[in-house]
Amino acid sequence: MKVQRLTNSAFEKIITGNIRSKEKCIIKLYSNECHLCHALKKPFQDIADSFEELHFFAFNADDYPDLPNIISYNGVPTILFVNTSQPDSIEIMADPPRKYSHKETWYHPEDIIKFIERNI
């Protein structure tokens, strides 16, 4: 499945559950200024291709200044799991310990897969 970019309004609808269909979504928060975010683009797309039943999105956190007031995250990249039938239960993938973080993409792709599998 292709990773789609989210607008602010679409992001709000997903995290509040204000969409017609009930879906399971994986959202990568990114910034245009983040080299780790850019490096994660290809592995994230590869992961999306492996999970046809999920919706994969990318959301530019820089475009939403109030985001830290809505979601408690440590920076970008950050991976979220949202089940729109349970909008209050947004799961945030934990940051890897620095000594275990992937030097190019921050998250190891295998850890993203494990995070997704734990939540679906």
Short mmCIF file of all heavy atoms in Angstrom, two decimals, residues 93 96 100 107-116 118:
data_model
loop_
_atom_site.label_atom_id
_atom_site.label_comp_id
_atom_site.label_asym_id
_atom_site.label_seq_id
_atom_site.Cartn_x
_atom_site.Cartn_y
_atom_site.Cartn_z
N MET A 93 5.25 4.69 19.18
CA MET A 93 6.40 3.80 19.24
C MET A 93 7.48 4.45 20.08
O MET A 93 7.83 5.62 19.89
CB MET A 93 6.93 3.52 17.83
CG MET A 93 8.04 2.52 17.80
SD MET A 93 8.44 2.06 16.11
CE MET A 93 9.88 1.06 16.41
N PRO A 96 14.11 4.28 20.46
CA PRO A 96 15.10 3.26 20.81
C PRO A 96 16.18 3.88 21.70
O PRO A 96 16.45 5.08 21.60
CB PRO A 96 15.69 2.85 19.46
CG PRO A 96 15.48 4.04 18.58
CD PRO A 96 14.23 4.70 19.07
N TYR A 100 21.19 1.73 20.58
CA TYR A 100 20.56 0.76 19.70
C TYR A 100 19.85 1.40 18.53
O TYR A 100 19.28 0.72 17.69
CB TYR A 100 19.58 -0.12 20.47
CG TYR A 100 20.25 -0.97 21.51
CD1 TYR A 100 19.99 -0.78 22.86
CD2 TYR A 100 21.18 -1.93 21.16
CE1 TYR A 100 20.61 -1.54 23.82
CE2 TYR A 100 21.83 -2.70 22.11
CZ TYR A 100 21.53 -2.50 23.44
OH TYR A 100 22.17 -3.25 24.39
N TYR A 107 14.84 4.51 13.80
CA TYR A 107 14.21 3.23 14.12
C TYR A 107 14.76 2.15 13.20
O TYR A 107 14.95 2.38 12.01
CB TYR A 107 12.70 3.29 13.87
CG TYR A 107 11.93 4.21 14.77
CD1 TYR A 107 11.31 5.34 14.28
CD2 TYR A 107 11.78 3.93 16.13
CE1 TYR A 107 10.57 6.18 15.09
CE2 TYR A 107 11.05 4.76 16.95
CZ TYR A 107 10.44 5.89 16.43
OH TYR A 107 9.71 6.71 17.23
N HIS A 108 14.98 0.96 13.75
CA HIS A 108 15.28 -0.19 12.90
C HIS A 108 13.98 -0.61 12.23
O HIS A 108 12.94 -0.70 12.91
CB HIS A 108 15.81 -1.36 13.74
CG HIS A 108 17.21 -1.18 14.20
ND1 HIS A 108 18.30 -1.53 13.45
CD2 HIS A 108 17.71 -0.67 15.36
CE1 HIS A 108 19.40 -1.26 14.11
NE2 HIS A 108 19.07 -0.73 15.26
N PRO A 109 13.99 -0.87 10.95
CA PRO A 109 12.75 -1.31 10.29
C PRO A 109 12.12 -2.54 10.97
O PRO A 109 10.90 -2.61 11.08
CB PRO A 109 13.21 -1.63 8.87
CG PRO A 109 14.37 -0.69 8.65
CD PRO A 109 15.06 -0.65 9.99
N GLU A 110 12.94 -3.46 11.47
CA GLU A 110 12.40 -4.65 12.14
C GLU A 110 11.63 -4.26 13.40
O GLU A 110 10.64 -4.89 13.75
CB GLU A 110 13.53 -5.62 12.52
CG GLU A 110 14.31 -6.16 11.34
CD GLU A 110 15.44 -5.22 10.91
OE1 GLU A 110 15.90 -4.37 11.70
OE2 GLU A 110 15.86 -5.33 9.75
N ASP A 111 12.09 -3.22 14.09
CA ASP A 111 11.40 -2.77 15.30
C ASP A 111 10.06 -2.12 14.95
O ASP A 111 9.09 -2.23 15.70
CB ASP A 111 12.26 -1.79 16.10
CG ASP A 111 13.47 -2.48 16.72
OD1 ASP A 111 13.43 -3.71 16.93
OD2 ASP A 111 14.46 -1.78 16.98
N ILE A 112 9.99 -1.44 13.82
CA ILE A 112 8.72 -0.86 13.37
C ILE A 112 7.73 -1.99 13.09
O ILE A 112 6.56 -1.93 13.49
CB ILE A 112 8.90 0.03 12.13
CG1 ILE A 112 9.79 1.23 12.46
CG2 ILE A 112 7.55 0.48 11.58
CD1 ILE A 112 10.19 2.06 11.25
N ILE A 113 8.20 -3.03 12.43
CA ILE A 113 7.33 -4.18 12.13
C ILE A 113 6.83 -4.81 13.42
O ILE A 113 5.64 -5.12 13.56
CB ILE A 113 8.08 -5.20 11.25
CG1 ILE A 113 8.31 -4.61 9.86
CG2 ILE A 113 7.30 -6.52 11.16
CD1 ILE A 113 9.26 -5.40 8.98
N LYS A 114 7.70 -4.99 14.40
CA LYS A 114 7.27 -5.56 15.69
C LYS A 114 6.25 -4.67 16.38
O LYS A 114 5.28 -5.15 16.96
CB LYS A 114 8.48 -5.76 16.61
CG LYS A 114 9.38 -6.90 16.17
CD LYS A 114 10.60 -6.98 17.08
CE LYS A 114 11.59 -7.97 16.54
NZ LYS A 114 12.85 -7.98 17.31
N PHE A 115 6.45 -3.36 16.33
CA PHE A 115 5.51 -2.39 16.91
C PHE A 115 4.13 -2.55 16.25
O PHE A 115 3.09 -2.60 16.92
CB PHE A 115 6.04 -0.98 16.74
CG PHE A 115 5.07 0.11 17.08
CD1 PHE A 115 4.75 0.39 18.40
CD2 PHE A 115 4.46 0.86 16.08
CE1 PHE A 115 3.85 1.41 18.72
CE2 PHE A 115 3.57 1.88 16.39
CZ PHE A 115 3.26 2.15 17.71
N ILE A 116 4.12 -2.64 14.93
CA ILE A 116 2.86 -2.79 14.19
C ILE A 116 2.18 -4.10 14.57
O ILE A 116 0.99 -4.12 14.88
CB ILE A 116 3.09 -2.71 12.67
CG1 ILE A 116 3.55 -1.29 12.29
CG2 ILE A 116 1.85 -3.12 11.91
CD1 ILE A 116 4.07 -1.18 10.87
N ARG A 118 2.40 -5.87 17.24
CA ARG A 118 1.88 -5.84 18.60
C ARG A 118 0.54 -5.12 18.68
O ARG A 118 -0.25 -5.36 19.60
CB ARG A 118 2.86 -5.13 19.55
CG ARG A 118 3.89 -6.01 20.15
CD ARG A 118 4.60 -5.33 21.33
NE ARG A 118 4.98 -3.96 21.11
CZ ARG A 118 6.14 -3.55 20.60
NH1 ARG A 118 7.05 -4.43 20.26
NH2 ARG A 118 6.40 -2.27 20.47
#
